């Protein structure tokens, strides 16, 4: 079931000073329509039942939690549990939101879906959901990302999606979003924009969070049932921030639970080649990108900066507005892991637990590996293992020169 | 060139330009050009060259992620940024154009993030001091525009609202009566860029807005030839041409001459009689 009992966002889509609806007029009516349609849908038991049924029978939910025993023992501190979103059909948490929005699009009578993708996981999730529901799917993907995530490009094509390479700007996720929005504004009557993270104009940050909140709802119940207590710390990687919001949301009232988001530290903060929006406030300031107000990596003149991460899914210059609010409220803390640390964590998880994690999720693992030894063996760290790493094998092989 | 109208910048300057255009043309002509494209000096020359045939001029302030713009304007702003064009530099160019004697109303068209980075109040104040008349901010709908609008009003400049073919009757009824300066009507759902045809239902859209509007209605997006300008001019009070002009200047060897001739041909399409 979805949860939406929090006080944010307000009816204008504001998360405190963040969020909002900064889009061209042409899109405003479509956004109003979407707000209404989503509100109707989430209050319609039949819609929710269909969504729940697909999550169970098609995605394979609930995804299990795994106790990483060998890793925990090797680190000699807290017990690490993994929320296994990597075991979802199509390989990541992205499918939760893709299915929810595709169902909503169908309900709205929109037969054409456009989506952006960075790592390709959201593109694959969208293509999968569209194949399942019989919708046309166009995925915009930066040409740089296409080169580094080839397996996912093949998957999307096999699933019947059209993958459109984006050559503008930095040729990565932010440019793919620009192109998806340009398509949406041009074909707004027939088309739903299936945005893949807690970004963009209201209602997307709220709606995507709600569709992903199943992660935390399940994990909370699973830990209570299987271990008998809540975790001390929850760790998730943050690109746009949908898997993190998804696992954080159910724990927001559990004040004893530390919520930690891990951004992409790239080649290190000093290098300037990273996507750590909260770590480098010299170049990351409050701004507006892709319809929402949040922290944005930008030049002094307000031009959006190119970011760097070994993981395409974290390579984005802004961050979901609700994360900015959680950070202001000190309800969540944010840190970063470098490319090197993520790669090391990737290998560690492969060897100690027999799990190949996505490079994105490896950032969260890196933080867990840093923290566990500083905690007691009776404490618990819950890591959102947001996706599997099959898509990253080429990148990892090259980086490790294997 | 002599001014028969009030020369104070802002609302009255814009109103006078529409009124004066109506004496000889079916509609006012407002070309768009990107500041800093293909370089600083050339963009100034182009604006100066098109001014005699223009009633108002839209000046593009470059942004790295122009999501309402098609390929032509995207490319021009990208090149302007590569040349090092900044927001502050654009305001300096406005001042320079005024010093060169270009007296047409200037509308600064730019996205919201560079304005936030500059500081809303400072931006509006500096723009007013440089000689600008109003602002077009495509990613700032009325829902988010309170702060900017207050700043603009304090300087007696205007923030131009958009309406689109997708705007429903409620939005038109809310936005149109409050509009100042003029209303920017987007002729077609989409991004900027020349198109082969003018939307067939444009007249109906203009009429729907006209019911509520107390200011002129200018139509933009997809208008690129004198014939299209004439067609739109017969329906609306203003005609906005951007991508086609950028494209003409881009392709020509003698850019300001070509741009001037092109805008003159657009104006000829709008002449009465």
């Amino acid at each position: 079931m979805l949860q939406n009992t929090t006080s944010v966002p307000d009816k204008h889509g504001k998360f405190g000073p963040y969020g909002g609806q900064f889009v061209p007029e042409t899109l405003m009516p479509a956004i109003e329509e979407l707000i209404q349609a989503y509100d109707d849908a989430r209050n319609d038991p039949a819609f929710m039942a269909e969504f729940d049924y697909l999550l169970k029978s098609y995605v394979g939910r609930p995804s299990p939690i795994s106790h990483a025993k060998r890793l925990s023992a090797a680190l000699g501190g807290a017990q690490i549990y993994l929320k296994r979103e990597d075991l979802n059909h199509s390989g990541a948490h992205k499918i939760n939101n893709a299915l929810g929005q595709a169902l909503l699009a169908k309900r709205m009578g929109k037969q054409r879906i456009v989506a952006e993708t960075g790592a390709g996981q959201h593109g694959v999730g969208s293509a999968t959901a569209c194949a399942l529901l019989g919708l046309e799917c166009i995925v915009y993907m930066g040409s740089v990302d296409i080169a580094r995530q080839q397996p996912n490009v093949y998957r999307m094509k096999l699933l019947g999606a059209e993958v459109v390479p984006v050559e503008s700007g930095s040729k990565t996720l932010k440019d793919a979003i620009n192109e998806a929005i340009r398509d949406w504004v041009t074909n707004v009557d027939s088309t739903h924009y299936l945005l893949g993270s807690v970004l963009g104009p209201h209602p997307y940050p709220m709606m995507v969070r709600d569709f992903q909140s199943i992660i935390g709802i399940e994990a909370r119940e699973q830990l209570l049932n299987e271990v008998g207590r809540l975790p001390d710390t929850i760790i998730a990687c943050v690109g746009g921030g949908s898997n993190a919001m998804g696992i954080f949301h159910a724990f927001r009232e559990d004040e004893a639970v530390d919520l930690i988001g891990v951004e992409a530290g790239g080649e290190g903060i000093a290098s300037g080649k990273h996507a750590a929006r909260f770590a480098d406030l010299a170049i990351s300031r409050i701004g507006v990108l892709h319809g929402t107000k949040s922290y944005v990596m930008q030049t002094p003149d307000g031009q959006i900066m190119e970011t760097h991460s070994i993981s395409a899914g974290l390579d984005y210059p802004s961050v979901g507005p609700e994360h900015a609010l959680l950070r202001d409220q000190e309800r969540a803390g944010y840190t970063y892991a470098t490319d090197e640390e993520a790669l090391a964590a990737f290998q560690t998880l492969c060897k100690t637990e027999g799990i190949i994690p996505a490079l994105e999720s490896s950032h969260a693992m890196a933080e867990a590996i840093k923290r566990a030894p500083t905690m007691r063996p009776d404490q618990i760290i819950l890591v959102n293992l947001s996706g599997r790493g099959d898509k990253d094998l080429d990148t990892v092989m090259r980086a490790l020169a294997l | 060139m002599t001014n028969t109208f009030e020369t104070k910048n802002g609302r009255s300057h814009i109103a006078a330009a529409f009124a004066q255009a109506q004496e000889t043309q079916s509609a006012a002509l407002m070309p768009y050009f990107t500041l800093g494209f293909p370089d600083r000096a050339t963009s100034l020359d182009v604006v100066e060259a098109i001014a005699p045939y223009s009633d108002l001029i839209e000046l593009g302030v470059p942004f790295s992620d122009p999501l309402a713009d098609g390929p032509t304007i995207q490319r021009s702003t990208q090149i302007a940024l590569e040349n090092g064009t900044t927001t502050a530099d654009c305001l300096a160019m406005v001042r320079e154009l005024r010093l060169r004697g270009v007296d047409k109303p200037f509308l600064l068209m730019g996205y919201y993030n560079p304005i936030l980075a500059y500081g809303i109040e400072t931006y509006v104040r500096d723009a007013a001091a440089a000689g600008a008349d109003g602002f077009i901010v495509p990613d700032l709908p009325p829902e988010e525009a309170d702060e900017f609008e207050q700043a603009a009003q304090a300087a007696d400049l205007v923030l131009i609202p958009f309406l689109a073919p997708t705007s429903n009757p409620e939005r038109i009824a809310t936005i149109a009566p409050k509009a100042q300066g003029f209303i920017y009507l987007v002729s077609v759902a989409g991004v900027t860029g020349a198109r082969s045809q003018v939307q067939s239902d444009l007249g109906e859209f203009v009429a729907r807005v006209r019911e509520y509007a107390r200011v002129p209605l200018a139509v933009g997006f997809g208008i690129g030839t004198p014939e299209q300008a004439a067609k739109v001019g017969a329906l609306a009070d203003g005609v906005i041409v951007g991508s086609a002009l950028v494209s003409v200047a881009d392709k020509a060897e003698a850019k300001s001459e070509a741009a001037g001739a092109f805008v003159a041909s657009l104006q000829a399409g709008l002449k009465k009689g």
Side-chain angles (χ1 to χ4, degrees):
Chain A
M1 286 298 292
L2 299 186
Q3 286 203 349
N4 191 39
T5 52
T6 45
S7 55
V8 289
D10 68 13
K11 68 182 165 65
H12 304 291
K14 299 286 186 192
F15 297 86
Y18 309 108
Q21 300 175 303
F22 297 87
V23 295
E25 172 63 23
T26 307
L27 290 178
M28 286 302 289
I31 282 172
E32 288 173 1
E33 182 194 355
L34 181 60
I35 290 169
Q36 191 58 53
Y38 174 59
D39 202 47
D40 289 348
R42 72 174 172 201
N43 291 306
D44 178 355
F47 177 87
M48 293 314 301
E50 189 178 5
F51 181 50
D52 284 348
Y53 175 74
L54 288 178
L55 288 180
K56 193 173 153 198
S57 68
Y58 186 73
V59 177
R61 303 206 73 91
S63 67
I65 53 169
S66 302
H67 185 188
K69 283 187 188 163
R70 290 190 64 224
L71 177 61
S72 305
L75 294 169
Q79 302 307 307
I80 296 174
Y81 282 78
L82 309 173
K83 177 61 173 166
R84 300 293 306 277
E85 292 298 296
D86 62 313
L87 294 179
N88 290 342
H89 175 51
S90 83
H93 73 292
K94 292 289 186 188
I95 187 72
N96 303 324
N97 166 58
L99 264 181
Q101 283 196 50
L103 278 174
L104 185 61
K106 202 160 181 180
R107 183 185 167 96
M108 294 168 74
K110 307 225 172 187
Q111 281 293 318
R112 184 174 179 274
I113 300 291
V114 293
E116 82 295 339
T117 199
Q121 286 306 116
H122 174 57
V124 168
S126 299
T128 301
C130 288
L132 178 69
L133 299 175
L135 301 169
E136 183 186 356
C137 184
I138 294 105
V139 180
Y140 289 93
M141 187 170 188
S143 58
V144 167
D145 291 339
I146 286 180
R148 59 180 165 174
Q149 306 281 193
Q150 272 297 324
N152 273 343
V153 176
Y154 298 140
R155 275 186 198 106
M156 287 183 270
K157 288 183 175 167
L158 286 170
L159 291 161
E162 182 189 345
V163 180
V164 182
V166 176
E167 302 288 350
S168 58
S170 59
K171 305 179 174 77
T172 60
L173 180 56
K174 90 173 167 72
D175 310 283
I177 296 179
N178 287 338
E179 246 4 270
I181 292 176
R182 288 179 187 124
D183 181 315
W184 189 29
V185 77
T186 306
N187 301 292
V188 62
D189 285 337
S190 65
T191 299
H192 174 70
Y193 177 24
L194 208 172
L195 180 49
S197 195
V198 288
L199 298 165
H202 179 62
Y204 285 102
M206 170 183 81
M207 180 170 70
V208 176
R209 174 197 74 192
D210 293 350
F211 284 137
Q212 293 293 3
S213 65
I214 186 74
I215 302 171
I217 293 167
E218 285 176 4
R220 193 172 187 282
E221 200 182 306
Q222 287 164 327
L223 274 174
L224 287 173
N225 286 342
E226 294 172 30
V227 192
R229 51 167 297 200
L230 294 177
D232 298 277
T233 301
I234 297 176
I235 301 176
C237 64
V238 180
S242 70
N243 89 77
M245 277 319 305
I247 199 163
F248 288 175
H249 197 56
F251 294 90
R252 68 202 177 282
E253 310 287 348
D254 301 317
E255 281 172 26
V257 179
D258 285 337
L259 307 176
I260 306 297
V262 185
E263 301 184 282
E267 295 176 12
I269 302 306
S271 74
K273 295 174 98 176
H274 61 77
R277 290 74 37 112
F278 291 139
D280 194 350
L281 299 181
I283 56 174
S284 181
R285 300 185 309 280
I286 295 171
V288 166
L289 180 64
H290 296 142
T292 195
K293 188 183 274 188
S294 183
Y295 281 82
V296 181
M297 287 173 63
Q298 52 184 305
T299 67
D301 193 42
Q303 308 300 337
I304 310 305
M305 285 176 63
E306 294 186 7
T307 52
H308 168 83
S309 171
I310 193 168
S311 67
L314 302 182
D315 205 349
Y316 182 70
S318 186
V319 57
E322 191 164 4
H323 285 294
L325 180 63
L326 289 174
R327 179 174 174 275
D328 280 4
Q329 293 171 335
E330 297 181 0
R331 178 62 194 94
Y334 294 83
T335 180
Y336 62 89
T338 62
D339 288 352
E340 205 175 317
E341 290 167 334
L343 271 170
F346 177 100
Q347 293 168 279
T348 301
L349 197 68
C350 288
K351 285 177 185 156
T352 60
E353 300 295 332
I355 296 171
I356 300 175
L359 278 173
E360 289 77 14
S361 320
S362 300
H363 287 70
M365 284 310 308
E367 178 63 18
I369 290 168
K370 279 183 218 168
R371 274 180 191 245
T374 70
M375 295 166 69
R376 297 188 314 272
D378 63 332
Q379 291 185 298
I380 293 175
I381 294 176
L382 173 64
V383 177
N384 195 9
L385 200 71
S386 54
R388 69 178 84 130
D390 310 37
K391 69 184 175 65
D392 294 316
L393 296 188
D394 279 357
T395 307
V396 172
M397 293 303 169
R398 262 200 306 274
L400 300 177
L402 286 178
Chain B
M1 184 169 181
T2 54
N3 264 332
T4 54
F5 48 80
E6 163 80 68
T7 50
K8 188 174 171 326
N9 286 104
R11 206 173 320 170
S12 53
H13 194 195
I14 291 169
F18 276 96
Q20 186 170 303
Q22 279 199 334
E23 289 171 17
T24 54
Q25 293 163 205
S26 59
L29 179 60
M30 180 162 83
Y32 162 97
F33 202 76
T34 304
L35 291 171
F37 172 77
D39 54 64
R40 190 181 198 281
T42 308
S43 68
L44 292 176
D45 290 346
V46 166
V47 174
E48 193 173 10
I50 63 175
Y53 315 105
S54 310
D55 301 295
L56 308 94
I57 300 173
E58 190 183 346
L59 299 172
V61 181
F63 178 48
S64 55
D65 294 76
L67 55 75
D69 284 304
T72 305
I73 293 180
Q74 278 177 51
R75 186 173 159 275
S76 72
T77 52
Q78 189 64 40
I79 289 171
L81 288 174
E82 283 163 14
N83 291 337
T85 308
T86 63
T87 304
D89 200 31
C90 288
L91 298 181
M93 284 189 253
V94 168
R95 185 185 296 275
E96 212 165 311
L97 286 165
R98 290 303 188 214
L99 289 173
R100 288 204 204 180
V102 180
D103 61 357
K104 300 295 162 73
F106 285 150
L107 285 306
L108 287 171
M109 144 50 205
Y111 289 80
Y112 196 42
N113 196 63
I115 296 173
L116 278 178
Y118 197 99
I120 292 173
E121 276 183 41
T122 327
Y123 178 69
V124 169
R125 202 176 51 228
D126 290 357
D133 295 273
F135 306 96
I136 295 171
V137 188
D139 57 348
L140 190 66
E143 281 82 349
E144 303 286 355
D146 284 354
E147 194 182 352
F148 192 97
E149 221 147 352
Q150 278 167 22
Q153 256 175 18
D156 205 30
L157 302 195
V158 292
L159 174 65
I160 303 301
F162 283 89
L163 283 170
T166 53
S167 304
N168 52 39
E170 296 76 47
R171 291 190 69 80
I172 293 175
T174 314
I175 295 168
K178 284 191 279 192
Q180 301 193 353
F182 63 92
I183 302 175
Y184 192 133
L185 301 190
V186 177
S187 73
V188 53
V191 293
T192 58
R195 288 173 178 79
S196 56
Q197 279 184 328
V198 172
Q199 285 295 104
S200 55
D201 48 1
L202 182 63
E204 196 256 334
F205 172 41
V206 172
R208 263 189 293 150
V209 179
R210 182 97 64 196
E211 254 182 79
Y212 296 96
R214 291 184 298 209
V215 291
L217 308 180
V219 174
F221 284 40
I223 305 165
T225 65
E227 295 72 33
Q228 289 174 334
K231 223 177 231 180
V232 173
L235 304 168
D237 310 306
V239 177
I240 304 166
V241 178
S243 300
L245 172 61
V246 171
S247 189
V248 162
D250 190 19
K251 285 176 191 146
E253 212 38 57
K255 298 193 185 306
S256 47
E257 289 80 355
F262 177 65
V263 175
S265 75
L266 295 171
Q267 188 195 42
L270 294 172
K271 285 285 182 204
K272 282 181 181 171

